Every structure is written in C-alpha cells, then in structure tokens.
Amino acid sequence: MGAIKNLAKDTMVYGASSIIGRFLNWCLVPLYTIVFPAGEYGVVTYVYSITALALVILIYGMETGFFRFANHDRYPDPMEVYSTSLISLAATSVAFLIATLCFIRPVADFLHCPSHPSYAAMMAAVLACDAFTAIPFCYLRYRRRPLRFASLKIISIALNIGFNLFFILLCPWLMKQAPGWVDWFYDPGFGIGYIFLSNLISSAVVTLLLLPELTGFRWSFNKALWREMVAYSFPLLILGIAGIMNQTIDKLLLPYLVADKADAMAQVGIYGANYKIAIIMVMFIQAFRFAYEPFIFARDRESGSTRKYADAMRYFVIFGLVIFLGVMFYLPVIRYFISPAYFSGLKVVPVVMIAELFFGIFFNLSLWYKLTDKTIWGTWFSLIGLAVTLVLNIILVPVMGYMGCAWAALACYTVMMVLSWLIGRRKMPIPYPTGRLCIYFAAAMALYFLSGAIATSSELLNLGVRTILLAGFIGAAVHFEHIPLPNLSKLKKS
C-alpha cells in the first residue's frame, strides 16, 4: 500500500501543474478568438497541431526508453543512460532546427504563413527546446522530484500566459496611451506572431532553469546503449504518431466528411469546444502517466510487483469513474465554461469522457509490453486504433455529423484497450480484478442513466439528487476497496 500511496501523492503533484497549465492555457482561447480574425487563429490552430506531431517525432520514444534502461540490469549506471539520451536528443534537435532554418520558406508555406517565415522559425526553436528538455524532465521524475518538475512547468505556463497578455493586451493599449514606451520593439502587424514569441520565451527560460540537471555529472555517449535504446524506443515513436493522429484526425477529417460544407467549420468548432469539457479526464490521465512510468519501471524487479500494478489499475478506474460521474452530474454548471452557442454539442461529452477513460486504461495495460521490451505491440495497437478511427469517421460522420467523431473515438480506444488486455494476459499475466472493475463501470453507467431518468424541472433539486448518487458511489468504493481515509484529528492537530 505504501507504493500506491506514493504513486497517488506524485500523481497529485504532477496533476497540479497539468491541471493549472491546461486550464490557464484554455482560458487564452477566448482572448485569441476575440482579438484575431478567424483566418489568423486558424493558422495558430494548424501550427500547433503540426507542432504536437513534430514533438512526438523529435523525442522518438526516448522518454520511456530512458526509464526502461535507467532501471535495466545490464546498465547499472543511470547517469550513463541519462547522458546518452541527452546527447542523442540534443543532436537531433539541433539538426532539426538547422534544417528548418535552411528551408524556412517552404516550411512557412506548409504552415500557411508564407508572409511570416519568422513564425515557422520561432516554432522550430520551441520544438528544439521542448524536445531536448524532455529528458531532464524525465530525470526529475526518475529521481522522484515532482515538486521541482511541477514548479518548472508552472513557471513555463506563467511566462507564456504573462507574455501573451503583455503583447496582445498591454502593448496595444500602450501604443495608444504612451507609444514611446513600446514602439521601439512592438509591431502591431506582427499579430499572431506574439503567440509564438511568448511560447519561445517560456521554452527558452525553462531550458536555462534546467541547467542544474545538465551539470554535475560526466557527459558520455555509449553507442551500444544508444542503439538498444533506439531499437526499444522506435516502436514507441510509431505508437506516439498513431496516438496523436487518433486524437486529431477526427477534427481534420470532419470538414471534408459532413454533407453541409457551408456548416462544416461550425461543426468543427462545436465539437472541439465540447471536447474541451473532457479535459478534466485528460488531465487526470496525464498526471497519472507522469507518475506511473517511473513507478512501474522502478518496481519491475521487486517481489509482488504484479499485485501493485493490479492495485494501481483498480484505483485508476475507480477514480476515473468518479471523474466521469462528477462531470456528467454537474454538467449543467460546467457547461458554462463554453459559450451557450455551443451547447448543442453537449451530447458528445459522455461519449468522449468514456473514450478518454478507456485510453487511460489502455495506458495502464501498456506496462506489459514496455517491461518485456515488446514495444512493437504498442505500435500495432495504435495503428489498429487509427484504422478504426479512419473507417468509422468515414462511415459515421456523413450520417451523424460530429457525433460520428465521438463514437469513432470511443470505438478506437475500446478496441485498443481490449486487444492489449487479451494479449497481455498471455504475455505477462497480471491479476487485474477485471470482474470487479466491470461491476464498478456498470454501476457508474447505471447511476448516470438513472440521474437522467429521474430529472425534474428544478435544476437545483437535480444537482442535490446527483450529489447523493455521487457520494453513494464514492462511499461504496471506499467501503468495498478498503480505501484508507485521512485521519481528520491528525490533520487538525498539525
């Protein structure tokens, strides 16, 4: 139980930076859409979609590779693994940046900003910094330093948001009130470029703040180790690319598949806005992932490790279902995080929430092929999921619109989850309490549908009833799973 408590504590710390960051960055979206025309904001959306894919390629699975080999029997010195990983990512990041600058014009054309190649140059520098610093952040997770990890992430977020507000709101105001203060560096025609510049400043500062993690050890490059790490990590690269495509392909295909082309982008906007409500589940999964990878690799050689993995899955599913019920029960309040003009798309929220939960379960299950060095299985699962996403989007979207995207996402992650569970049972048996978890899932779905069936015209009364239902689910889980609760008397004394 002590290991699980540590996992939960680290998840909370990592989750704090993840939740704060995603929420605050999400709050910038209304600012962008108010200040910039739709065409300009479309460039921002497109650039960051490409950036997400490019970052996966530039890291090429080395994060998980670092955790695997830093805990490997044949490589007892984790600092050698760390140094080799750093040199590898430094070389590829610098090569990428130089190549982008050499071909900046065609790259800018590809990113739909031909008149502003500086946008492409800035984002290439951001990618180089973020790819390189991925390993120092992994090192902090490996050393179990979640507070430093979280503080650096929050500093990055604060800098990004602060410079966005400075360039987009304060500088235009100063140009009118006291132009002499800012006209020597501020160019109103630079427009959305200040979004990218803010990102570059925050990434560069965090890179400098990570200098303590880049000094104090002997830099060395082990070619044999590097070849093994690349062989181990390459399937994870394909997995990562397929994973990113699974998350974005629906939004990219939607405009081309809906029958009413004039309404296509409106559907994309409605679907995307309501998808953001599921960000609570996404943040939980991301926080759990940050803590879980070092957790599983550190305990690979411990006795009884499979029981700890099973316990981690048990608590993950229960907590994920609590998040699902919490969001769905309080959706009448939570929905006001988006404009009422988008409320017609709220029907996608439960489907998307379950899809994200299933993806989190798939991530939990992925430990078997990571610990057995069979990462190629993760590639196959992701590619199969991508095929399911493509086929179902093509079939469903012309008939159902953006709801077809939601059902396709659910089907994709369901297939990946089930396949990983079935094959993992043979490759690395772990005593997951599958029957009990299915009962919890069925109970959560029953409560969700019951809350809708007994709804009244009084929203306040509905919220009260749903609060009782949620408390009942949590109480049952605490009772049957013997989940320890904090000692309130001790908390008061402290």
Side-chain angles (χ1 to χ4, degrees), residues 114-427:
S115 58
H116 292 280
S118 59
Y119 295 178
M122 286 188 291
M123 289 312 296
V126 168
L127 278 168
C129 288
D130 290 353
F132 173 69
T133 57
I135 293 300
F137 276 115
C138 284
Y139 180 72
L140 291 174
R141 292 158 60 195
Y142 171 76
R143 290 297 189 189
R144 295 285 306 280
R145 300 184 62 191
L147 291 177
R148 175 153 171 79
F149 178 100
S151 64
L152 288 173
K153 290 291 185 181
I154 291 173
I155 288 172
S156 174
I157 294 159
L159 287 171
N160 188 36
I161 293 174
F163 279 104
N164 266 278
L165 297 176
F166 174 74
F167 287 124
I168 297 174
L169 291 182
L170 183 59
C171 285
W173 181 81
L174 288 173
M175 281 292 288
K176 295 178 181 178
Q177 304 298 323
W181 288 15
V182 294
D183 60 3
W184 58 277
F185 69 88
Y186 177 73
D187 176 13
F190 198 54
I192 57 173
Y194 287 114
I195 297 175
F196 306 133
L197 179 59
S198 300
N199 197 340
L200 176 58
I201 293 172
S202 66
S203 293
V205 170
V206 169
T207 302
L208 293 175
L209 292 176
L210 281 166
L211 282 177
E213 281 67 45
L214 301 174
T215 57
F217 62 94
R218 188 174 67 87
W219 284 66
S220 62
F221 185 78
N222 185 323
K223 292 182 179 179
L225 168 62
W226 178 79
R227 284 193 292 267
E228 284 195 57
M229 292 184 71
V230 171
Y232 175 88
S233 302
F234 183 76
L236 297 176
L237 166 61
I238 307 302
L239 188 155
I241 293 173
I244 288 292
M245 293 298 288
N246 278 332
Q247 296 173 23
T248 60
I249 196 67
D250 52 355
K251 301 173 189 67
L252 298 176
L253 289 176
L254 182 57
Y256 303 99
L257 297 175
V258 294
D260 185 0
K261 301 303 180 185
D263 189 48
M265 293 312 297
Q267 288 208 36
V268 174
I270 292 172
Y271 178 61
N274 283 277
Y275 206 113
K276 288 185 180 297
I277 294 178
I279 198 171
I280 299 173
M281 185 70 78
V282 175
M283 288 186 294
F284 166 59
I285 293 169
Q286 180 176 337
F288 185 85
R289 177 184 176 182
F290 283 147
Y292 194 55
E293 283 190 326
F295 170 81
I296 63 170
F297 286 115
R299 281 156 183 81
D300 182 26
R301 290 165 287 185
E302 292 182 3
S303 61
S305 59
T306 56
R307 173 56 61 184
K308 295 183 178 70
Y309 301 150
D311 288 342
M313 172 69 86
R314 189 159 47 102
Y315 292 121
F316 175 86
V317 172
I318 292 171
F319 198 78
L321 289 172
V322 170
I323 291 175
F324 170 80
L325 290 175
V327 171
M328 298 316 304
F329 285 172
Y330 299 106
L331 191 58
V333 177
I334 295 173
R335 64 180 179 172
Y336 288 103
F337 277 100
I338 60 176
S339 167
Y342 295 86
F343 284 178
S344 61
L346 288 170
K347 56 189 176 182
V348 309
V349 177
V351 181
V352 169
M353 289 283 290
I354 297 172
E356 292 294 343
L357 174 63
F358 284 2
F359 175 74
I361 295 173
F362 167 75
F363 176 78
N364 270 266
L365 294 168
S366 69
L367 66 89
W368 72 260
Y369 59 76
K370 291 177 179 177
L371 291 178
T372 58
D373 296 345
K374 303 293 184 181
T375 50
I376 189 64
W377 281 104
T379 302
W380 290 120
F381 296 146
S382 293
L383 291 176
I384 291 170
L386 180 58
V388 170
T389 301
L390 287 170
V391 171
L392 288 184
N393 269 281
I394 293 171
I395 294 173
L396 297 179
V397 171
V399 180
M400 305 172 63
Y402 52 75
M403 275 305 298
C405 296
W407 286 113
L410 176 58
C412 163
Y413 293 137
T414 301
V415 169
M416 292 168 61
M417 174 185 69
V418 172
L419 286 176
S420 183
W421 176 67
L422 289 174
I423 297 174
R425 291 174 67 188
R426 293 188 289 108
K427 301 290 185 179

Side-chain angles (χ1 to χ4, degrees), residues 73-94:
D73 291 329
R74 289 189 291 107
Y75 296 99
D77 183 7
M79 298 312 297
E80 183 181 40
V81 179
Y82 180 51
S83 176
T84 300
S85 305
L86 279 175
I87 293 172
S88 179
L89 281 181
T92 52
S93 298
V94 170

Side-chain angles (χ1 to χ4, degrees), residues 51-112:
T51 298
L53 176 61
L55 186 60
V56 171
I57 296 172
L58 284 173
I59 295 175
Y60 44 92
M62 291 294 279
E63 290 176 306
T64 304
F66 166 75
F67 286 119
R68 176 55 179 158
F69 287 88
N71 293 279
H72 206 292
D73 291 329
R74 289 189 291 107
Y75 296 99
D77 183 7
M79 298 312 297
E80 183 181 40
V81 179
Y82 180 51
S83 176
T84 300
S85 305
L86 279 175
I87 293 172
S88 179
L89 281 181
T92 52
S93 298
V94 170
F96 165 78
L97 179 58
I98 292 173
T100 302
L101 295 178
C102 290
F103 299 96
I104 194 65
R105 288 293 177 182
V107 171
D109 291 341
F110 175 70
L111 295 178
H112 298 280

